[in-house]
Amino acid sequence: LGAAAEAAEEAEAAARREDQEFEAVQPPMPEHLLALWRAGSGAYACFQREFHSAGAGALTPSARAALKEAAAHLEQLAGFTLGERREFILYGRLQDVFVPLARELEHCADAASWSLQRALHPLGTNSYAVDEASKTSLWNAGVSAAIGFYRRAGDQHRAQATLELARKHPHAATHYERLDQTPLVFFPGLEARPWWEPRSFSLVRKLESAFADPGSRAALLAELDAVIARGGLAPILSPAAPLGEAGAGRGEAAGNESGGTCGAADGAAGGTTPAWSELPLFDGRVWDEGACAALPTLRGLLRGRGSEPVDECICTAPVDAASPNLCGTNIVVTLLRLAPGAAVLPHCGITNRRLTMQFALRGAEGVEFTVGGEPRGYGGDGKAIVFDDSFEHMVSHRGSQDRYVLYAVLKHPGLTSSVETLKS
C-alpha cells in the first residue's frame, strides 16, 4: 500500500493547502461565512481520513455521511458572493464532494452541476487542454464529467446543452461530436467505433495462441497465482474512481447513514478486500523489472520482435515530455483485478487517439462490458477484447470469481505511430 498511502497523504495535504488559501484571500470573510467553510472543509477532511483508512476504495457509511455533511455546509456557502478566487476554490471542493457521492444515482445531477459550474468559472474556462501534453485541463475535465453525470441522471437535455458549450470553447480539445464520446481531449478525423476486431492486432493473436497451448497456459496461470499469493496487486483507491457498489446507480442507500462522527468505526475499515486492484508493468517508456520478474512468461509475450523492448501494437510514450503522450496515461500495461459483484460505472477515457485491450487470464465468465451502448463479454478465459475507451463504457461483474486481465493501451490504427499525424 506504499504508493496508495503516499497518494492519500498528498490528497489530504492538497486539501489543507486549499483550506489555507481560501481563508488567506483578502478581504477577510464575515465570521458566519467562515464558520460554514470550516464546518464543510472539516467534514471533507473527515471523509478523506475515513476513505483512506478503510483501504478498499469503497465508501463506508461514515465516509458517505461525512460527504453529505460537507455538502450541506458548502452548498449553503455557495449562496453568497465570495469573490472570484474563493468561489473557484469552493466550486472545486463541491465537485470533490459530489463526484464520489455520484456513485449513487441520486447525486449525479449535483455532481454534473458543480463540475460544470467550476468549468464555467473564468479560472476554469482559462484552464484548458489542447492535447495530451497540456499542463492544464480543468475546463476539459469539468465539461466531460458534467456530460457523463447528466447522462447517468437521465437528463439528456442538459447533457446536450453542455456538449454544445464544450464545442464553443475556442481552444480546448472539447469539440465533441456525440454525447457518448467525450474524453478529456478529443480530436476529430479519427475512425471512431466502440469495438474493434481483436484478432486484427498481432498482440492479441500472440496472446491467444499462447493461452491455447497447455504448457504456456499453465505457466501463465502459475505465475498469476504466485503474484496473487504474495499480495502483489495494489488497490485502486481514488474517491473519483468510477467504482460501483451494491445498489449504486439505482439511488439505493448503502449502509447506515446515521453516522457522521469522524472516526466512528464502520467495521469495514482496514478489513475489506478492495474491489479493484492492479500491478502496473509498463509506463510507456520503461518496464517495471521487479513486477515483470514475477510474470516472465507474460513479459516475454509482450516483447517486440528481435531486440525491440515492446510489442509493436502497444502504445509508447514520447521521449520528449513536452510532446503529446497519445497513451494518455503512465500506466500503459498492467494486470487488473475486479471482484465479483463489483461494477465500473459509466465514464469516458482520456483521449480518442488510443485503443484499449483487455486479455482475460481468469474469471471472464459473468463479466459484461458495455461500450458506446453495445454490450459484450470476453468470450471466455484466454480471449481478448479491444475497444475505444473514449466512448462511454462500463463494466458489470456478475460472475463468481475474481476477474484477472492483462490491460494494455494500444496504438490507434488511424495513426502512423505514437505521434499526432493522421494517416492520409
Side-chain angles (χ1 to χ4, degrees):
L1 293 179
E6 289 180 9
E9 289 177 6
E10 174 52 34
E12 293 178 22
R16 289 193 295 272
R17 289 193 295 270
E18 275 194 342
D19 293 345
Q20 293 167 359
E21 181 184 1
F22 186 92
E23 294 197 23
V25 173
Q26 295 296 320
M29 280 199 305
E31 282 300 320
H32 68 289
L33 299 185
L34 186 60
L36 285 174
W37 170 256
R38 288 176 174 171
S41 63
Y44 183 71
C46 172
F47 155 73
Q48 288 185 304
R49 292 192 296 272
E50 292 288 332
F51 181 84
H52 294 140
S53 66
L59 291 185
T60 63
S62 57
R64 185 181 291 105
L67 282 174
K68 291 184 176 182
E69 181 182 349
H73 295 298
L74 297 177
E75 284 195 301
Q76 185 177 349
L77 182 60
F80 294 89
T81 300
L82 304 174
E84 183 178 76
R85 187 65 194 172
R86 280 199 180 105
E87 287 175 356
F88 182 66
I89 295 172
L90 175 60
Y91 297 162
R93 183 61 56 84
L94 280 162
Q95 185 180 15
D96 291 342
V97 165
F98 277 104
V99 166
L101 282 175
R103 294 182 183 190
E104 295 178 344
L105 188 61
E106 64 183 291
H107 300 295
C108 285
D110 286 324
S113 177
W114 290 114
S115 296
L116 183 58
Q117 190 86 334
R118 194 179 197 211
L120 290 174
H121 188 283
L123 296 178
T125 303
N126 291 323
S127 171
Y128 57 87
V130 298
D131 58 31
E132 297 87 350
S134 296
K135 301 299 183 184
T136 56
S137 60
L138 291 179
W139 165 266
N140 305 56
V143 295
S144 173
I147 292 169
F149 285 128
Y150 278 136
R151 280 171 55 80
R152 280 183 55 203
D155 193 337
Q156 298 302 309
H157 175 75
R158 283 190 170 88
Q160 183 64 42
T162 305
L163 182 141
E164 296 301 328
L165 277 174
R167 289 175 55 85
K168 291 178 181 178
H169 197 290
H171 308 296
T174 55
H175 290 201
Y176 304 127
E177 296 176 344
R178 48 192 292 173
L179 282 173
D180 63 351
Q181 190 185 23
T182 58
L184 187 73
V185 290
F186 175 78
F187 301 91
L190 277 173
E191 182 178 359
R193 47 190 163 107
W195 292 101
W196 291 69
E197 170 51 46
R199 291 188 63 82
S200 66
F201 297 87
S202 60
L203 176 61
V204 170
R205 297 194 297 271
K206 183 167 41 172
L207 290 167
E208 291 188 351
S209 177
F211 201 90
D213 177 77
S216 58
R217 179 171 66 249
L220 284 167
L221 296 179
E223 292 163 11
L224 174 63
D225 285 334
V227 168
I228 296 168
R230 68 176 176 83
L233 284 79
I236 298 173
L237 297 180
S238 169
L243 185 63
E245 304 168 44
R250 297 192 297 272
E252 299 173 12
N256 178 17
E257 298 292 350
S258 62
T261 301
C262 199
D266 281 319
T272 300
T273 302
W276 210 6
S277 51
E278 68 174 340
L279 175 62
L281 303 174
F282 180 58
D283 68 0
R285 294 185 177 90
V286 297
W287 292 93
D288 184 322
E289 295 300 339
C292 290
L295 300 163
T297 305
L298 192 58
R299 173 67 181 90
L301 293 168
L302 296 170
R303 290 187 184 277
R305 297 177 182 176
S307 61
E308 290 297 315
V310 62
D311 185 277
E312 63 184 1
C313 294
I314 296 175
C315 185
T316 53
V319 176
D320 177 11
S323 298
N325 179 3
L326 306 196
C327 307
T329 177
N330 61 359
I331 300 179
V332 174
V333 179
T334 188
L335 186 66
L336 279 176
R337 168 191 163 274
L338 188 68
V344 179
L345 300 171
H347 66 289
C348 295
I350 300 297
T351 174
N352 65 321
R353 298 201 286 191
R354 70 179 190 184
L355 298 177
T356 298
M357 181 207 74
Q358 288 197 9
F359 177 74
L361 292 163
R362 177 180 293 156
E365 184 176 356
V367 179
E368 182 180 81
F369 263 81
T370 302
V371 185
E374 300 178 27
R376 294 189 186 181
Y378 293 99
D381 293 345
K383 299 294 182 182
I385 56 174
V386 175
F387 59 97
D388 183 342
D389 82 338
S390 69
F391 282 88
E392 185 178 77
H393 57 286
M394 59 185 292
V395 188
S396 179
H397 189 348
R398 298 186 179 92
S400 58
Q401 295 186 70
D402 283 345
R403 180 218 66 177
Y404 291 93
V405 298
L406 174 71
Y407 166 103
V409 178
L410 306 183
K411 298 172 184 174
H412 195 293
L415 299 172
T416 56
S417 62
S418 291
V419 296
E420 56 183 307
T421 304
L422 295 180
K423 287 181 178 176
S424 58

